[in-house]
Amino acid sequence: NAGVTQTPKFRILKIGQSMTLQCTQDMNHNYMYWYRQDPGMGLKLIYYSVGAGITDKGEVPNGYNVSRSTTEDFPLRLELAAPSQTSVYFCASSNRGGGVSNQPQHFGDGTRLSIL
Amino acid sequence: AQTVTQSQPEMSVQEAETVTLSCTYDTSENNYYLFWYKQPPSRQMILVIRQEAYKQQNATENRFSVNFQKAAKSFSLKISDSQLGDTAMYFCAFKLNRDDKIIFGKGTRLHILP
């Protein structure tokens, strides 16, 4: 089972460059999330999606954009990379069955991004 | 707004001992879920245990159990017979039934010493 797959695993960007972090899941989950984890800190929600064509802002959306054209894919885009965006980024997915939102989130392995 | 607080940034215990990680949360709502996630050095996020707020019985998963005190808004994790592989960051998390977002605490770094 592939689960949630994130690419790349590591990346170094220069200030002002742009890039897309890829996330795909093969569990047919409706819900997908992007988090960032700064050193010694917990996860902060950047954006999330409850289904194809629907996205919503999380706690720290500034400087990022997302799209959800298919159920499987939820890419995160940085348009103008800034040093403050140096972090580890996690993608997650979950399913919401039977009207009860009790499904745990499945996480990818993370992408370590450094902006220099 | 909901918040999750983990007051222990770091802990160390000897292998085979029992350790309890603390978590408190704040909400004015009644219907929610609580989770403990483990993040080993590999950085994967692994669900350890979850508790539905409407259930009075504490959740248990093998060596992992919780002490859920709803009135006190406390959700501690107990690890029995700790093993070296339990070394990781542990995150407490909260989710309202009606919401799509999970709120994480800042984590507790747990070291199991040989």
Side-chain angles (χ1 to χ4, degrees):
Chain A
N1 290 338
V4 178
T5 302
Q6 288 183 237
T7 56
K9 293 189 183 302
F10 306 94
R11 184 74 183 267
I12 298 174
L13 285 182
K14 294 182 179 179
I15 295 172
Q17 285 186 320
S18 62
M19 79 162 292
T20 299
L21 281 65
Q22 301 292 343
C23 176
T24 187
Q25 51 91 9
D26 61 359
M27 297 172 283
N28 202 32
H29 284 171
N30 292 325
Y31 290 67
M32 296 188 75
Y33 309 79
W34 273 107
Y35 295 91
R36 59 177 287 172
Q37 184 180 26
D38 299 329
M41 303 293 286
L43 299 172
K44 292 187 177 180
L45 183 64
I46 305 171
Y47 271 96
Y48 68 103
S49 167
V50 302
I54 305 170
T55 61
D56 283 291
K57 295 179 180 179
E59 185 182 358
V60 289
N62 292 342
Y64 306 93
N65 280 303
V66 292
S67 60
R68 185 90 183 275
S69 56
T70 66
T71 300
E72 295 78 20
D73 301 307
F74 190 43
L76 176 72
R77 182 150 181 90
L78 285 70
E79 291 293 350
L80 290 171
S84 62
Q85 293 177 305
T86 293
S87 190
V88 180
Y89 291 83
F90 287 96
C91 179
S93 72
S94 66
N95 204 9
R96 188 166 178 163
V100 178
S101 54
N102 63 347
Q103 299 302 316
Q105 292 191 339
H106 297 257
F107 283 81
D109 291 341
T111 295
R112 185 178 295 277
L113 182 62
S114 297
I115 315 296
L116 304 176
Chain B
Q2 283 63 231
T3 60
V4 177
T5 302
Q6 294 179 249
S7 58
Q8 305 151 310
E10 197 159 0
M11 299 180 70
S12 296
V13 296
Q14 294 293 134
E15 189 177 9
E17 288 185 347
T18 294
V19 59
T20 299
L21 308 182
S22 301
C23 173
T24 58
Y25 58 95
D26 190 26
T27 182
S28 58
E29 304 203 23
N30 281 317
N31 300 314
Y32 52 87
Y33 293 88
L34 294 159
F35 308 89
W36 277 98
Y37 281 89
K38 170 185 177 181
Q39 187 181 41
S42 64
R43 296 205 324 255
Q44 287 180 305
M45 289 286 284
I46 303 165
L47 178 67
V48 175
I49 199 165
R50 104 181 141 207
Q51 174 83 40
E52 291 90 338
Y54 67 87
K55 289 187 177 179
Q56 292 184 334
Q57 186 173 5
N58 289 325
T60 299
E61 286 288 340
N62 300 315
R63 297 183 295 107
F64 298 87
S65 61
V66 297
N67 183 5
F68 174 47
Q69 302 289 327
K70 191 172 184 178
K73 296 179 183 175
S74 170
F75 183 61
S76 60
L77 173 70
K78 185 172 83 171
I79 306 174
S80 303
D81 186 26
S82 58
Q83 300 173 359
L84 296 178
D86 295 335
T87 291
M89 279 286 282
Y90 286 82
F91 292 98
C92 179
F94 171 97
K95 183 182 182 304
L96 290 172
N97 279 21
R98 62 171 177 78
D99 204 351
D100 301 312
K101 296 171 284 191
I102 292 182
I103 300 165
F104 288 85
K106 291 186 177 181
T108 295
R109 187 175 299 280
L110 177 65
H111 302 275
I112 308 299
L113 307 172

